[in-house]
């Protein structure tokens, strides 16, 4: 059985229309890179936004595209952070970019192994298993004190210059350019991934696993693949944290981190890649503002935001932003022009 | 050796009382309530305030903790939780995590972040020997109270009109409604009772588990283990699971202090992979 060529053509066209760059996306990345020159004094918090955005992007891949709820995504983040810190401390891999890749690979390996655990069971079982894995790793890191420094954290890490040239400074200038570049490259890959037929089949799995398998999508293989990739992303995000702060502590595995991450993604909205990045920006500035206001009690406001978001309804929030997204779509003159052309063709007939 | 077993049983009984309310909301009503520990914490703090600041006798404070927490439970159920029952699991998780964060920060603000203690009456302090086994008086009290509660729970669920209504409402709420059972009220009462039990457990647990504002986060995983490992179709499943968890945790911390918690998480993951519906359960009805 072969697919008719017209069907292939329309599918390809549809996919490439999905993948087309919108002007707002250009604006987003332009401003992100412009911040390098515009706000040199805010580089430290911008760096945090960059790795948090990458971490949230990683959760978006499994939650927004594959529908896996995870309460333990910090497991991969932490493994990445500890790998990067250990590699630098014991001078195994001195070049930060290579160390970053290595940390990503270690996290991916862990993601691959644990992905088989999330294949089975309901949402609740997945919650428990992901949470359990994160807690387990935290306990491991705590008991192997000679390697990880235990509860005190891994101290005495020195990160060598990037490519042997760009030294990490205490104002975070190098850190920001470095993190932002990593984020941008990984974002491009993720964008390519979710706009491919593979990404589409993931959405099918999220929508209805049974039907997806009925039309020939191998559900388990897709889940394993995306979980592994997302783990790698989270690991790299953790490695960025460890490299830019030259420190790793047990806190990287904490439950709060996984829970905050869910909030970050939910603020921005799951399932369109930018949600995590936008959420990270809002979350970090909110945290910055609130923790100045009430240093000890800012989790209260975080919790309040979560409760309100759920009570208002996540769909309704998307409805409010609909005009903005419509405007963004309008800005895309290519789609607009094409729609006009199609409309005039209809009138002719 | 037997003392450890005894302590483990007491600990497990306590966990059961703390988690049994969760078994109802999570297992029976299919609602992921990560904020369950917050109710336990509320009960604990109520006891601490009553006993330490207002001079109420410890024994009198226990029922007050139960009633007060149940009242808080009803209030939350009627005002907030009802809106979330029909939402997705992700929404329920976000919502209840939000509640936990708020509870933790609020109690931190009101009571301070340090650990608090309760003055236990002198009758309950110390331990005595029974056939060479060191038996803590306080732990004996916990075993007695929790044992009675378990028996009462089992009796209510299987032998009373309310119990059969609850089981009907859980098995098929639409048909139960059709038969004239006020499902919303049954759920609200059950939720209140579960919260009350958590509050009572929290009050009893101040002495053994310790109490500070991060309590709901610290013990959330334990409650979840009891419910998911025990399964949710009966009261005996979570009961056996909490006993195993209690004994395992106490023994693990005593014999293998460095990897105690590690063992428990591993066992939990293995059990969940092996039997996702829990150890002691019939096939899931949905």
């Amino acid at each position: 059985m072969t697919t008719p060529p017209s069907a292939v053509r329309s599918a390809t066209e549809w996919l490439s229309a999905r993948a087309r760059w919108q002007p707002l996306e250009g604006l987003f990345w332009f401003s992100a890179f412009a911040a390098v020159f515009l706000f040199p004094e805010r580089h430290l918090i911008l760096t945090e936004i960059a790795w948090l955005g990458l971490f949230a992007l990683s959760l978006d891949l499994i939650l927004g595209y594959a529908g896996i709820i995870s309460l333990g995504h910090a497991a991969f983040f932490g493994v990445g952070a500890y790998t990067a810190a250990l590699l630098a401390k014991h001078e195994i891999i001195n070049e930060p970019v290579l160390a970053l890749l290595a940390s990503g690979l270690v996290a991916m390996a862990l993601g691959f192994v644990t992905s088989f655990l999330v294949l089975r069971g309901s949402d609740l079982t997945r919650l428990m298993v992901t949470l359990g894995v994160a807690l387990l790793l935290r306990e491991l890191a705590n008991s192997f004190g000679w390697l990880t420094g235990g509860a005190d954290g891994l101290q005495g890490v020195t990160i060598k210059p990037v490519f042997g040239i760009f030294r990490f400074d205490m104002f975070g200038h190098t850190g920001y350019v470095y993190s932002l570049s990593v984020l941008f490259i990984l974002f491009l890959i993720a964008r390519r991934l979710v706009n491919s037929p593979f990404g589409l089949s993931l959405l099918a799995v999220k929508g209805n696993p049974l039907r997806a398998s009925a039309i020939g999508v191998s559900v388990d293989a897709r889940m394993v693949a995306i979980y592994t990739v997302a783990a790698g992303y989270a690991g790299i995000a953790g490695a960025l944290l460890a490299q830019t702060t030259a420190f790793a502590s047990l806190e990287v595995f904490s439950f709060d981190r996984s829970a905050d991450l869910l909030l970050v993604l939910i603020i921005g909205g799951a399932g369109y890649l930018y949600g995590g990045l936008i959420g990270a920006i809002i979350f970090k500035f909110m945290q910055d503002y609130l923790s100045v206001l009430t240093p000890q009690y800012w989790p209260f406001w975080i919790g309040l935001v979560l409760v309100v978001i759920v009570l208002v309804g996540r769909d309704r929030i998307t409805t409010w932003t609909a005009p903005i997204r419509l405007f963004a779509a309008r800005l895309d003159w290519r789609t607009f022009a094409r729609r006009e052309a199609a409309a005039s063709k209809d009138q002719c007939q | 050796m037997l003392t450890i077993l005894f302590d483990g049983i007491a600990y497990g009984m306590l966990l059961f009382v703390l988690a049994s309310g969760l078994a109802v909301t999570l297992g029976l009503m299919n609602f992921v309530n990560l904020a369950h520990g917050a109710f336990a914490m509320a009960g604990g703090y109520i006891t601490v305030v009553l006993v330490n600041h207002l001079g109420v006798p410890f024994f009198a404070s226990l029922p007050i903790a139960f009633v007060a927490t149940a009242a808080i439970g009803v209030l939350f159920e009627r005002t907030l939780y009802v809106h979330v029952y029909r939402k997705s699991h992700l929404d329920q998780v976000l919502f209840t995590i939000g509640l936990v964060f708020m509870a933790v920060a609020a109690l931190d603000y009101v009571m301070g972040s340090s650990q608090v203690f309760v003055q236990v009456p002198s009758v309950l302090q110390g331990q005595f020997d029974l056939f060479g086994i060191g038996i803590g008086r306080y732990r004996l009290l916990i075993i007695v109270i929790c044992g009675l509660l378990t028996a009462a729970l089992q009796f209510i669920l299987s032998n009373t009109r309310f119990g059969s209504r609850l089981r009907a409402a859980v098995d098929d709420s639409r048909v139960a409604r059709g038969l004239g059972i006020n499902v919303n009220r049954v759920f609200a009462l059950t939720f209140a009772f579960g919260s009350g039990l958590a509050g009572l457990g929290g009050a009893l647990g101040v002495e053994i588990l310790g109490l500070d504002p991060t309590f709901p986060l610290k013990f959330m995983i334990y409650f979840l283990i009891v419910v998911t490992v025990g399964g949710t179709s009966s009261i005996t499943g979570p009961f056996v699971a909490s006993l195993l968890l209690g004994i395992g945790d106490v023994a693990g911390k005593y014999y293998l202090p460095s990897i105690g918690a590690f063992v428990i998480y591993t066992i939990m993951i293995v059990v969940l992979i092996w039997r996702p519906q829990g150890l002691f359960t019939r096939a899931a009805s949905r």
Side-chain angles (χ1 to χ4, degrees):
Chain A
M1 195 185 91
T2 51
T3 325
S6 62
V8 173
R9 210 179 320 127
S10 70
T12 326
E13 262 175 28
W14 192 80
L15 275 172
S16 54
R18 255 171 75 90
R20 192 173 293 132
W21 280 85
Q22 310 244 340
L24 271 194
E25 295 187 80
L27 187 67
F28 181 88
W29 289 106
F30 178 75
S31 349
F33 278 101
V36 173
F37 305 103
L38 291 179
F39 307 107
E41 73 282 0
R42 305 304 296 265
H43 276 174
L44 284 175
I45 190 171
L46 287 172
T47 310
E48 287 181 25
I49 291 176
W51 62 250
L52 185 63
L54 182 60
F55 190 23
L57 175 68
S58 139
L59 182 68
D60 198 7
L61 285 177
I62 60 165
L63 183 65
Y65 286 91
I68 303 172
I69 306 179
S70 167
L71 261 186
H73 213 50
F76 309 115
F77 184 84
V79 165
Y82 268 104
T83 313
L86 285 171
L87 286 177
K89 188 180 181 187
H90 301 288
E91 304 191 334
I92 301 165
I93 299 180
N94 283 321
E95 215 294 308
V97 178
L98 287 180
L100 199 67
L101 284 177
S103 318
L105 286 178
V106 172
M108 270 179 103
L110 179 73
F112 179 73
V113 174
T114 50
S115 69
F116 295 98
L117 306 181
V118 297
L119 287 181
R120 288 193 66 178
S122 57
D123 282 347
L124 179 64
T125 325
R126 282 179 184 161
L127 281 181
M128 296 288 300
V129 168
T130 49
L131 183 61
V133 169
L135 288 169
L136 206 69
L137 286 170
R138 189 195 151 91
E139 284 302 318
L140 265 187
N142 195 10
S143 12
F144 286 90
W146 53 269
L147 183 67
T148 60
D152 298 332
L154 193 64
Q155 286 161 348
V157 179
T158 2
I159 306 290
K160 294 283 182 326
V162 183
F163 301 130
I165 308 167
F166 305 105
R167 193 170 290 282
F168 282 102
D169 52 296
M170 61 173 286
F171 305 106
H173 301 318
T174 316
Y176 180 54
V177 178
Y178 175 62
S179 311
L180 186 61
S181 313
V182 171
L183 172 65
F184 184 57
I185 293 166
L186 287 175
F187 178 82
L188 290 182
I189 299 173
R191 199 176 182 286
R192 181 75 191 83
L193 192 73
V194 299
N195 286 323
S196 67
F198 171 79
L200 216 55
S201 67
L202 277 181
L203 285 178
V205 170
K206 183 193 176 191
N208 189 328
L210 200 64
R211 283 191 192 171
S213 64
I215 59 167
V217 177
S218 47
V219 174
D220 284 6
R222 296 291 194 283
M223 293 273 214
V224 169
I226 195 66
Y227 201 75
T228 310
V229 171
Y233 271 52
I236 291 180
L240 278 180
L241 167 71
Q243 291 184 336
T244 50
T245 56
F247 183 65
S249 69
L250 288 183
E251 191 263 338
V252 290
F253 287 116
S254 72
F255 170 74
D256 300 40
R257 193 175 283 281
S258 302
D260 285 352
L261 186 70
L262 271 174
L263 174 62
V264 168
L265 186 59
I266 294 309
I267 295 179
Y272 70 107
L273 291 188
Y274 282 95
L277 310 187
I278 295 169
I281 297 171
I282 300 176
F283 180 84
K284 270 295 167 192
F285 279 113
M286 192 168 77
Q287 186 187 29
D288 199 38
Y289 176 73
L290 289 175
S291 53
V292 171
L293 217 62
T294 50
Q296 207 177 344
Y297 311 114
W298 69 270
F300 182 85
W301 305 107
I302 298 285
L304 189 65
V305 171
L306 273 172
V307 169
V308 169
I309 285 180
V310 174
L311 285 183
V312 171
R314 284 183 292 132
D315 338 334
R316 228 175 286 171
I317 290 175
T318 350
T319 328
W320 289 341
T321 54
I324 304 171
R325 278 179 292 125
L326 197 69
F327 176 67
R330 278 284 173 85
L331 274 181
D332 190 356
W333 56 273
R334 278 166 300 191
T335 340
F336 195 54
R338 174 179 297 193
R339 209 179 296 143
E340 292 275 273
S344 62
K345 211 165 89 186
D346 283 351
Q347 277 169 2
C348 287
Q349 281 169 353
Chain B
M1 171 62 202
L2 283 172
T3 311
I4 291 170
L5 190 68
F6 178 78
D7 283 1
I9 290 173
Y11 186 44
M13 289 270 202
L14 192 59
L15 280 179
F16 173 71
V17 170
L18 280 166
S20 54
L22 189 64
V24 172
T25 45
L26 185 62
L28 301 184
M29 291 147 82
N30 197 18
F31 177 77
V32 182
N33 184 13
L34 300 182
H36 189 71
F39 292 105
M41 177 171 72
Y45 272 105
I46 288 169
T47 312
V48 168
V49 170
L50 284 176
V51 173
N52 291 4
H53 299 281
L54 303 176
V56 177
F58 180 73
F59 285 108
S61 76
L62 292 180
I64 301 179
F66 177 85
V67 173
T69 324
I72 299 174
V74 163
L75 188 70
F76 272 74
E77 208 268 348
R78 288 287 92 190
T79 53
L80 292 175
Y81 280 70
V82 274
H83 303 295
V84 196
Y85 281 148
R86 299 205 168 277
K87 298 208 176 191
S88 68
H89 278 150
L90 175 63
D91 276 328
Q92 297 173 353
V93 166
L94 293 171
F95 177 78
T96 48
I97 288 181
L99 283 186
V100 171
F101 278 0
M102 286 170 77
V104 168
L107 273 172
D108 194 348
Y109 180 72
V110 179
M111 304 292 297
S113 61
S114 52
Q115 196 172 347
V116 290
F117 301 93
V118 69
Q119 288 152 5
V120 175
S122 52
V123 189
L124 295 175
Q125 285 167 1
Q127 57 180 30
F128 59 89
D129 265 14
L130 191 72
F131 309 120
I133 311 168
I135 291 186
R137 290 168 200 265
Y138 190 76
R139 288 183 162 75
L140 186 66
L141 172 83
I142 282 180
I143 290 183
V144 170
I145 292 182
C146 297
L148 288 176
L149 274 174
T150 313
L153 269 182
Q154 178 68 32
F155 178 77
I156 291 173
L157 273 183
S158 55
N159 290 337
T160 64
R161 201 173 177 77
F162 181 78
S164 49
R165 276 186 183 156
L166 176 63
R167 281 178 291 134
V170 164
D171 272 353
D172 196 325
S173 64
R174 280 181 65 191
V175 175
R177 275 207 183 88
L179 289 172
I181 297 172
N182 189 344
V183 173
N184 289 347
R185 222 181 74 198
V186 170
F187 278 172
L189 271 175
T190 316
F191 192 91
F193 197 69
S195 315
L197 281 181
L200 180 63
L204 284 171
V206 177
E207 178 76 8
I208 292 185
L209 305 174
L211 185 64
D212 64 75
T214 59
F215 182 87
L217 288 173
K218 259 193 292 190
F219 286 93
M220 182 180 74
I221 185 75
Y222 283 81
F223 304 153
L224 287 172
I225 290 175
V226 167
V227 177
T228 45
V229 170
T232 46
S233 53
S234 66
I235 229 51
T236 31
F239 182 69
V240 176
S242 27
L243 281 189
L244 287 179
L245 178 65
I247 296 169
D249 201 32
V250 170
K253 276 176 182 155
Y254 186 80
Y255 289 112
L256 308 159
S258 55
I259 57 162
F262 186 81
V263 176
I264 286 186
Y265 299 142
T266 318
I267 293 174
M268 175 195 89
I269 291 177
V270 171
V271 167
L272 283 177
I273 294 308
W274 174 42
R275 299 203 52 175
Q277 300 296 336
L279 270 185
F280 316 97
T281 183
R282 57 179 182 194
S285 54
R286 50 177 145 184

